[in-house]
Amino acid sequence: LPRFDETTSIKLEDDRYRVEVSRAHGAVTRILDKTGTLELIREPRLAGNFKFTLPLPGKESWETIEANYILGDAQPLSSFDVQGRTLTLVWRAPLTSRTGEKYDVAAVMGIELEGEAVRFTLRLENKTPYTIGEVFFPILGGVTGLGSTHRELKSTRLVRPAGTGVASSDVFFLFANSSGLGDQGAEQFYLYPQNLPEPWMELHNSGLR
């Protein structure tokens, strides 16, 4: 991982965690767990933050353009503020869609170091005539597993509740596509509260305890 450079990165840190985001676009490039000496993001070139859709209605419902995405890591960061253990990132309007159209939408993301947690919040201010569709945050791109060696990274499992117990998958060793939203890309999809009885997942590596 590259060394911290204050000209290109913003840092939020306490005794437990260190979080870095890019000054250019506010993408989350590093989350270091100091207690376990674990880097959650090992490929910062894939860093992300948020994305949302602004569906464009058609004359008929089937003509609506649902996938009108606005990608947070493609928006220039307008400003930021660090107060104690809280970092506030601001993207002022207009924001630009994936196709280059500009919309009167603004975003504010908060990152707070709260006890044993790194907590993310997102607020969108929408002054367009369109309704915001799906919202994704935080997007932590570049997660390749837990550990520092190839074996440790590949041994990391995605653990999730299933029925009365838990299930796990080797997503860093064999990523089986289970898309449930019509997306043709590789995706792990678990519907809550139906086949996923509790709203949580975790990354676990027994070798690292």
Side-chain angles (χ1 to χ4, degrees):
L1 294 170
R3 297 181 63 180
F4 175 74
D5 183 352
E6 65 178 8
T7 65
T8 59
S9 299
I10 306 163
K11 179 173 62 175
L12 181 67
E13 188 171 21
D14 65 3
D15 293 338
R16 294 179 182 270
Y17 299 106
R18 179 171 180 166
V19 180
E20 296 177 13
V21 303
S22 72
R23 287 178 179 265
H25 301 286
V28 182
T29 56
R30 187 181 191 188
I31 298 180
L32 168 64
D33 177 350
K34 295 181 179 181
T35 304
T37 319
L38 292 173
E39 296 280 1
L40 183 59
I41 297 173
R42 298 196 63 85
E43 182 42 87
R45 291 178 297 180
L46 299 177
N49 42 29
F50 69 89
K51 70 177 179 180
F52 63 92
T53 61
L54 208 59
L56 304 177
K59 293 182 179 180
E60 301 291 341
S61 59
W62 57 269
E63 295 179 304
T64 297
I65 302 175
E66 297 283 354
N68 184 32
Y69 279 102
I70 293 180
L71 308 178
D73 59 4
Q75 314 301 320
L77 183 65
S78 302
S79 64
F80 70 91
D81 182 53
V82 179
Q83 294 290 337
R85 298 184 177 183
T86 301
L87 169 62
T88 303
L89 306 169
V90 178
W91 294 265
R92 297 189 184 91
L95 301 184
T96 306
S97 73
R98 193 166 54 177
T99 58
E101 298 294 326
K102 295 184 182 298
Y103 295 95
D104 193 0
V105 186
V108 178
M109 174 175 274
I111 305 176
E112 182 178 2
L113 305 181
E114 185 178 298
E116 296 185 351
V118 179
R119 191 175 304 279
F120 292 83
T121 59
L122 180 68
R123 184 174 74 249
L124 300 177
E125 183 179 356
N126 180 18
K127 295 184 179 180
T128 74
Y130 310 115
T131 301
I132 291 175
E134 299 175 331
V135 180
F136 303 82
F137 84 97
I139 296 178
L140 303 179
V143 177
T144 61
L146 301 177
S148 57
T149 69
H150 181 76
R151 180 183 295 273
E152 288 172 347
L153 295 172
K154 293 298 183 182
S155 298
T156 303
R157 302 181 68 87
L158 174 68
V159 181
R160 62 194 184 279
T164 58
V166 295
S168 62
S169 304
D170 291 316
V171 294
F172 297 101
F173 182 77
L174 179 63
F175 194 95
N177 187 21
S178 57
S179 174
L181 299 174
D183 188 358
Q184 298 303 305
E187 177 183 60
Q188 292 289 308
F189 175 85
Y190 304 99
L191 191 62
Y192 171 78
Q194 297 183 20
N195 60 340
L196 190 72
E198 297 290 339
W200 62 266
M201 295 181 185
E202 72 174 23
L203 296 180
H204 176 71
N205 191 320
S206 58
L208 298 175
R209 297 185 299 170

